[in-house]
Amino acid sequence: MKKYIVLLILLTSFTLLHAQFKVRFIVKENTAIHHDSIYITGTFNNWDSLANNKYLMQPYGENEKSIVLNLKAGPLAYKFTRGNWFKVEKRYYGGEVTDRHVIINKDTTFKDSVSAWRDLIIIDKRYALTQQKEDTSRVNILTSIASNYAFWPEYYNADSALHYAQKALLLQQNIIDSYKYKSLTNNGFSSRLIYLKEIVAGLFHALGNYPKALEIRFENLKLAEKEKDKFIMVYCIRNITTDYISMKDYQKVLNYGKSMDSILNTLNSNDPRFQRDKWTTKNIISTAYYNQHVPDSALHYAKEMRASDIKDMNHGDSAYYLAASSLLLADIYAQKGDFKSGYSYYRQVIPNATTIYAVQFIARTYAGMARLFQKENQIDSALIYAKLSLVFFQKYKIDVQAWGENSDSYIADISPLIAGLYKTNNQLDSAYKYLHLSVDLKDSLYNVSKIRQFQTLTFNETVRHEQINQQIKEAQQQYKTKVKMFGL
């Protein structure tokens, strides 16, 4: 009897394994320009990227295409193209669409949608702009065009991004000033204004104009302080820390990081934004301590950050958090003199950073390894990795800018290391060359005028916060006085 049951189970498993089911795929094009030729590709055809008519989808519903395939039971991954990978689907704001993963065990239907195509992501939105008359929708379209130009290397164009962001800002401000806006509640217009201004701030930061970026971000913080949603305030403070990090004012970074932590402790931990913001806060505080050469405190917060590496996220997001936390831990262990742990964490950065094309993480890893080799007196190896880091920052400037960072600031930091290594090898001409490169870049990024602007902005913001705190104290005192009067 037992043998019969075992045979029955094996037969059933074999049948399911080799069974085929009819699977209908339906995709809706949520784009302004619609297309006739949409193909499906996936593990079932070894990710065939050619315009294969066997996988050409047919008209189905309104702006929809469909295809029915006979597929084997089991796991399946798929996505949509218009005939090749240059024409693959993208997210509306330019991000990669992750592979859709499903399990086939019966006849079934899968419904999906496409928001953008890689080759037409800007063109489609420009066309949508000509068709859309409603102001709020036009703001969304203008914002998305600005974002694509600002934050994706293959579309990066700072001038175009600024142009569309400023048009969106002007239109958004008109909406806010209108009577229609005043009659609405909980419309999110203020948060949208903050995001638009942050695009502009991010562009200025990436171009090395840190004072202008900080000025805009302080304006955003004022707007956020009026919002009921305090996660917006955390978002604005986080962006402010990037300017202070670039200007190397790590005490301010620490102060703002602690401020973020205090705010988060009052917020709902079940909010989907909480986990990301908590991770970012630990990262900021740890970074501040590391750069202040307080490695034990830096390690404490870095371990808390690592313990909360974002879970339940898609592969790309998870790779970012793993790469960032590994890089910071590697730097801290190197500072503490634990070279073995340092090398170990540096090696964990590269595969995750490569997954998300985070060039700056890869280049910073090479710089970190160069410093470790230097400490171990392996000068030739240190020189190889230091120059490799420099090449990455020079070759992929646009990629770094699309991440909202400035490549020259990294080059200015890595050049003195290369100069020092050449000096150790008694190659003084080469040492002078890289030292001169660093001086020129630092003069451009951190000249007296910029430092003065930065200090003025910081002072004004400090005064503003002191005034706010004084008003709060006065209000509290007035309240206590009223309570006493009522008591009497």
Side-chain angles (χ1 to χ4, degrees):
M1 185 63 180
K2 286 183 180 179
K3 286 183 179 180
Y4 174 77
I5 293 171
V6 170
L7 286 170
L8 186 61
I9 291 171
L10 288 172
L11 183 61
T12 303
S13 300
F14 180 83
T15 304
L16 283 172
L17 191 63
H18 291 79
Q20 285 201 331
F21 298 102
K22 288 187 179 298
V23 182
R24 178 180 290 277
F25 297 91
I26 302 171
V27 63
K28 185 178 181 70
E29 240 187 327
N30 292 328
T31 53
I33 303 171
H34 301 134
H35 304 86
D36 292 330
S37 301
I38 297 178
Y39 300 83
I40 187 168
T41 185
T43 50
F44 55 85
N45 65 356
N46 293 318
W47 295 103
D48 180 6
S49 63
L50 301 176
N52 189 335
N53 285 335
K54 186 178 177 181
Y55 302 106
L56 175 65
M57 304 183 77
Q58 302 300 319
Y60 189 69
E62 185 179 359
N63 302 330
E64 288 182 336
K65 297 287 190 297
S66 175
I67 191 171
V68 177
L69 299 175
N70 291 317
L71 300 176
K72 292 180 180 179
L76 171 74
Y78 67 96
K79 61 171 46 177
F80 302 100
T81 77
R82 292 187 1 266
N84 58 60
W85 290 122
F86 183 65
K87 299 178 180 179
V88 70
E89 60 179 320
K90 292 277 257 180
R91 294 180 185 174
Y92 188 72
Y93 280 89
E96 294 293 334
V97 176
T98 53
D99 301 339
R100 297 172 178 84
H101 291 272
V102 296
I103 295 176
I104 308 299
N105 53 24
K106 62 179 180 180
D107 293 347
T108 189
T109 298
F110 297 109
K111 290 187 176 183
D112 300 291
S113 62
V114 170
S115 300
W117 300 102
R118 180 182 175 185
D119 60 322
L120 298 174
I121 198 163
I122 304 290
I123 295 170
D124 185 79
K125 290 173 175 60
R126 283 179 178 166
Y127 177 74
L129 205 56
T130 66
Q131 304 300 303
Q132 183 57 249
K133 304 300 180 186
E134 206 274 319
D135 283 349
T136 303
S137 297
R138 287 177 64 80
V139 169
N140 288 336
I141 296 168
L142 288 165
T143 303
S144 65
I145 295 174
S147 294
N148 279 282
Y149 275 130
F151 302 129
W152 299 103
E154 60 184 309
Y155 315 117
Y156 186 82
N157 185 313
D159 291 338
S160 295
L162 278 170
H163 169 74
Y164 282 101
Q166 286 168 347
K167 287 183 73 172
L169 274 169
L170 182 62
L171 188 55
Q172 182 66 30
Q173 193 60 58
N174 289 340
I175 295 172
I176 290 173
D177 293 339
S178 71
Y179 174 80
K180 180 181 177 183
Y181 169 77
K182 293 172 185 176
S183 66
L184 296 175
T185 56
N186 299 323
N187 42 45
F189 285 168
S190 184
S191 60
R192 191 177 295 129
L193 183 64
I194 288 171
Y195 177 68
L196 275 167
K197 289 164 74 71
E198 175 52 34
I199 292 176
V200 177
L203 286 164
F204 279 119
H205 183 98
L207 294 170
N209 193 341
Y210 305 132
K212 187 61 181 177
L214 184 66
E215 180 184 346
I216 296 169
R217 284 165 170 165
F218 277 153
E219 291 171 3
N220 268 351
L221 183 57
K222 291 178 188 176
L223 290 172
E225 286 169 351
K226 299 174 184 176
E227 291 290 303
K228 291 182 180 178
D229 186 350
K230 294 305 175 188
F231 280 104
I232 298 173
M233 195 169 167
V234 172
Y235 167 77
C236 291
I237 295 173
R238 181 197 74 189
N239 295 328
I240 286 169
T241 65
T242 63
D243 294 314
Y244 279 109
I245 287 171
S246 294
M247 290 297 287
K248 305 185 188 309
D249 187 342
Y250 298 111
Q251 185 56 50
K252 280 291 183 185
V253 175
L254 182 60
N255 293 344
Y256 278 112
K258 293 289 184 71
S259 176
M260 288 172 65
D261 203 30
S262 297
I263 296 170
L264 280 172
N265 288 335
T266 68
L267 301 181
N268 179 12
S269 61
N270 293 320
D271 188 291
R273 295 168 292 179
F274 183 87
Q275 194 180 6
R276 293 172 189 258
D277 286 347
K278 199 70 176 175
W279 184 96
T280 303
T281 299
K282 301 297 182 186
N283 179 284
I284 288 168
I285 296 173
S286 178
T287 298
Y289 277 126
Y290 164 72
N291 284 287
Q292 289 180 318
H293 300 280
V294 190
D296 289 338
S297 296
L299 185 60
H300 169 77
Y301 283 97
K303 284 182 175 179
E304 286 190 351
M305 172 192 67
R306 184 71 170 192
S308 64
D309 270 348
I310 308 304
K311 302 170 180 66
D312 301 323
M313 285 194 176
N314 68 51
H315 182 56
D317 287 338
S318 139
Y320 168 81
Y321 290 104
L322 284 169
S325 60
S326 297
L327 179 56
L328 183 53
L329 279 163
D331 286 341
I332 293 167
Y333 277 116
Q335 191 178 79
K336 285 175 67 67
D338 185 346
F339 297 166
K340 182 178 178 182
S341 296
Y343 283 123
S344 175
Y345 278 109
Y346 280 134
R347 282 192 290 269
Q348 293 177 36
V349 177
I350 304 296
N352 287 300
T354 304
T355 299
I356 53 174
Y357 311 108
V359 176
Q360 75 281 14
F361 284 162
I362 298 171
R364 285 172 57 193
T365 296
Y366 290 146
M369 293 181 73
R371 291 187 176 93
L372 278 183
F373 281 124
Q374 183 188 36
K375 288 177 180 178
E376 294 182 323
N377 205 34
Q378 298 183 49
I379 305 303
D380 290 341
S381 295
L383 198 51
I384 289 170
Y385 278 96
K387 291 186 75 172
L388 193 56
S389 174
L390 182 69
V391 167
F392 263 76
F393 281 125
Q394 290 175 327
K395 184 177 180 180
Y396 297 104
K397 278 192 172 186
I398 286 179
D399 296 72
V400 176
Q401 284 180 316
W403 278 88
E405 299 185 47
N406 184 271
S407 192
D408 284 346
S409 65
Y410 290 113
I411 295 172
D413 286 341
I414 196 71
S415 297
L417 171 62
I418 298 174
L421 292 167
Y422 273 123
K423 184 180 178 182
T424 302
N425 278 347
N426 205 31
Q427 295 172 271
L428 300 183
D429 287 345
S430 295
Y432 176 78
K433 170 188 169 183
Y434 285 100
L435 199 58
H436 191 269
L437 173 63
S438 175
V439 170
D440 286 347
L441 289 174
K442 285 183 177 178
D443 182 59
S444 171
L445 290 167
Y446 312 113
N447 57 50
V448 174
S449 175
K450 284 187 177 180
I451 291 172
R452 188 178 296 117
Q453 290 175 52
F454 215 82
Q455 289 172 340
T456 301
L457 287 166
T458 300
F459 175 76
N460 291 341
E461 182 65 10
T462 302
V463 170
R464 187 180 77 86
H465 271 281
E466 286 176 353
Q467 289 173 344
I468 291 172
N469 290 333
Q470 184 61 35
Q471 289 169 2
I472 292 171
K473 288 178 182 177
E474 288 174 359
Q476 289 173 339
Q477 186 58 48
Q478 288 173 5
Y479 175 76
K480 289 178 181 177
T481 302
K482 283 183 180 179
V483 170
K484 287 180 180 178
M485 290 295 292
F486 281 125
L488 290 170

